[in-house]
Amino acid sequence: MSEEEREAKSQRPSTTPDAGAEARPTPVSQPPRSERGAPASHDQSAEAARAGEVNRDGMGEDETEAAPMDAEPADPLAEAQAEAAKLRDQLLRTAADFDNFRKRSRREMEETQRKAREDMLRELLPIFDNLERAAEHAKSATDVQALSQGIDLVMRQFVDTLGRLQVERVATVGQPFDPSLHEAIQHLETTEYPAGAVAHEVQAGYRVGERLVRPALVVVAKAPSGSADGAGETN
């Protein structure tokens, strides 16, 4: 070996491991990340999430569509019969309430009428008592004037009682004939009253407020036949 070859050999790095140097592990080649189960990339994760949402949405739609199919359809006839039964029950209840109201109103009206009769009778009984005493006294009375005065007192008591009961006597003599208050039973030729006026009262009439209880029986005056008014009426 020449000297040049020895110098070139001495300059080459030695591949033989040094006995005193620390042994280094030889790096081992690793397979790609996709081949050894590495996590998917960001795009792959987004696609997987969208796929899951699609699956969930599809499942919800299927369940929503399947729900009406599972429910049984309502029977129109059964619904109509139930509604008719409900209305019939309400009608019966209303009819019963109205019947009870009618009976209660009739009882209240009858009670009011009975009380009104009792109140009027209570007012009239004292007059009857006085008339009874006057009739008993008239059997043995010798003073006709005193008996007449006693009857007049009873009559005034009767008029006062009618006033408390709000009963008024219909005005007759001298008043124009009013068919709503008077009932004519005769015509009388007279010059004392004008033609068409009430000349005489046969039976008194009474009213309560504006309600006529009994019309008055009256005689209506008319002009004498020979007078000018009578001739005008005849024509």
Side-chain angles (χ1 to χ4, degrees):
M1 179 181 298
S2 62
E3 184 178 353
E4 294 178 356
E5 290 179 353
R6 286 195 297 270
E7 291 179 357
K9 186 177 180 179
S10 61
Q11 292 178 355
R12 294 178 182 173
S14 178
T15 57
T16 303
D18 191 0
E22 182 180 359
R24 297 180 179 178
T26 304
V28 180
S29 61
Q30 297 180 355
R33 295 171 61 89
S34 58
E35 293 181 2
R36 58 189 175 90
S41 63
H42 178 72
D43 294 339
Q44 293 177 347
S45 299
E47 290 179 0
R50 284 195 296 271
E53 291 178 357
V54 170
N55 292 336
R56 287 194 298 271
D57 294 342
M59 184 180 299
E61 292 176 358
D62 294 341
E63 293 177 355
T64 305
E65 294 176 356
M69 297 177 62
D70 295 339
E72 296 182 359
D75 187 3
L77 179 59
E79 292 181 353
Q81 290 176 346
E83 184 68 18
K86 179 181 178 181
L87 294 177
R88 182 176 181 274
D89 182 67
Q90 293 178 353
L91 179 61
L92 293 176
R93 291 176 180 272
T94 303
D97 293 340
F98 178 76
D99 187 60
N100 294 333
F101 170 76
R102 182 174 56 83
K103 292 179 180 179
R104 183 170 62 255
S105 299
R106 184 171 55 191
R107 287 195 303 267
E108 292 176 354
M109 184 179 298
E110 292 176 353
E111 180 66 20
T112 302
Q113 293 176 351
R114 183 184 63 81
K115 188 176 183 302
R117 288 194 298 267
E118 291 178 355
D119 293 341
M120 179 173 289
L121 182 61
R122 191 177 296 108
E123 294 288 342
L124 295 177
L125 282 178
I127 303 173
F128 178 77
D129 294 337
N130 290 333
L131 286 175
E132 190 175 29
R133 295 189 190 98
E136 188 68 25
H137 178 71
K139 294 178 182 179
S140 58
T142 57
D143 189 355
V144 179
Q145 185 67 24
L147 180 60
S148 177
Q149 292 176 355
I151 294 175
D152 289 339
L153 290 175
V154 175
M155 290 297 297
R156 283 198 294 270
Q157 182 183 13
F158 179 70
V159 173
D160 294 340
T161 301
L162 292 180
R164 288 195 300 272
L165 297 174
Q166 299 181 350
V167 178
E168 299 178 358
R169 184 166 179 164
V170 176
T172 55
V173 179
Q175 299 295 322
F177 176 78
D178 186 353
S180 63
L181 299 175
H182 307 139
E183 182 178 345
I185 60 174
Q186 185 182 354
H187 283 84
L188 177 65
E189 294 182 358
T190 179
T191 58
E192 185 178 0
Y193 299 100
V198 176
H200 180 67
E201 179 184 270
V202 178
Q203 179 178 283
Y206 295 93
R207 64 182 179 182
V208 179
E210 298 298 328
R211 183 180 181 86
L212 183 66
V213 177
R214 187 180 72 179
L217 301 180
V218 298
V219 176
V220 181
K222 71 175 183 178
S225 301
S227 64
D229 294 339
E233 289 180 357
T234 304
N235 293 334

